[in-house]
């Protein structure tokens, strides 16, 4: 694998957020799975609900916080930098989804980081064929990390007895 730089910034509490080394490992796996061999640089910003909602509204016209937003870099012609883009991950949404879907939080973080990285590389899921190809690639990458297929429904965690 060529050189990879990952910068993680925190605009939300770090409790429950994986270490920078985990993000790096997941991005490295995504790049390898997508067969990208060039030097790469990714910036990740961990945000709260308010910032996640504001960014989703501003860039996607959707007035709610989403789990991950991907901003692929758009370099002018002739500029060759390793930056592939930025990821914004909303920590409270990731935690809520993991609990609702009965997934290990770290596994869900890994999935969303890989999903976002593939978007930075041009993968999408707008039509059914693209979605199937992207999901299959994500599933293969995650399996290589020992993580179960995220598209198979897991049983939600049981509610505590009252």
């Amino acid at each position: 694998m060529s050189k990879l730089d990952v910068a993680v910034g925190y605009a939300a509490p770090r409790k429950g957020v994986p270490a920078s080394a985990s993000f790096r490992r997941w991005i490295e796996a995504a790049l390898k799975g997508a067969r990208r061999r060039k030097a790469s640089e990714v910036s990740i910003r961990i945000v709260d609900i308010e910032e996640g909602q504001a960014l989703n509204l501003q860039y996607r016209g959707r007035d709610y916080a989403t789990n991950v937003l991907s901003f692929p870099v758009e370099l002018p012609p002739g500029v060759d930098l390793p930056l592939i883009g930025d990821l914004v991950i909303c920590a409270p949404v990731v935690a809520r989804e993991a609990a609702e879907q009965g997934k290990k939080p770290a596994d869900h973080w890994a999935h969303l980081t890989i999903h976002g990285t593939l978007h930075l590389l041009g993968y999408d899921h707008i039509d059914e064929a693209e979605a199937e190809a992207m999901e299959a690639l994500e599933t293969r990458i995650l399996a290589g990390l020992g993580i179960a297929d995220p598209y198979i429904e897991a049983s939600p965690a049981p509610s505590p007895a009252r």
Side-chain angles (χ1 to χ4, degrees):
M1 168 104 213
S2 293
K3 185 176 187 297
L4 171 63
D5 288 323
V6 177
V8 182
Y10 301 88
R14 291 185 185 197
K15 185 176 182 348
V17 176
S20 296
S22 295
F23 288 111
R24 179 184 175 76
R25 185 168 46 97
W26 299 329
I27 292 170
E28 205 166 63
L31 296 173
K32 182 179 177 187
R35 294 183 168 87
R36 179 176 170 95
R37 294 182 175 30
K38 294 174 22 178
S40 301
E41 184 178 319
V42 177
S43 174
I44 301 173
R45 181 171 171 86
I46 308 300
V47 300
D48 59 16
I49 292 286
E50 292 76 20
E51 186 172 349
Q53 181 173 353
L55 290 168
N56 201 25
L57 179 60
Q58 180 178 354
Y59 290 99
R60 297 179 63 227
R62 298 182 178 163
D63 195 15
Y64 57 88
T66 191
N67 48 29
V68 62
L69 293 167
S70 301
F71 298 95
V73 71
E74 295 178 14
L75 296 172
V79 175
D80 187 26
L81 296 174
L83 180 64
I84 60 172
D86 302 323
L87 298 177
V88 174
I89 304 176
C90 187
V93 171
V94 175
R96 184 192 76 231
E97 289 177 347
E100 289 173 355
Q101 297 169 20
K103 296 177 180 173
K104 294 178 188 172
D107 290 357
H108 197 46
W109 278 97
H111 175 221
L112 295 174
T113 302
I114 289 165
H115 181 87
T117 301
L118 292 177
H119 276 306
L120 295 179
L121 296 174
Y123 289 84
D124 216 330
H125 45 80
I126 293 173
D127 67 40
E128 193 171 330
E130 286 180 333
E132 287 176 9
M134 186 172 178
E135 288 174 12
L137 180 55
E138 289 173 26
T139 301
R140 278 194 310 275
I141 294 166
L142 289 164
L145 295 169
I147 298 172
D149 184 340
Y151 295 103
I152 294 176
E153 283 291 318
S155 301
S159 299
R162 291 183 181 202

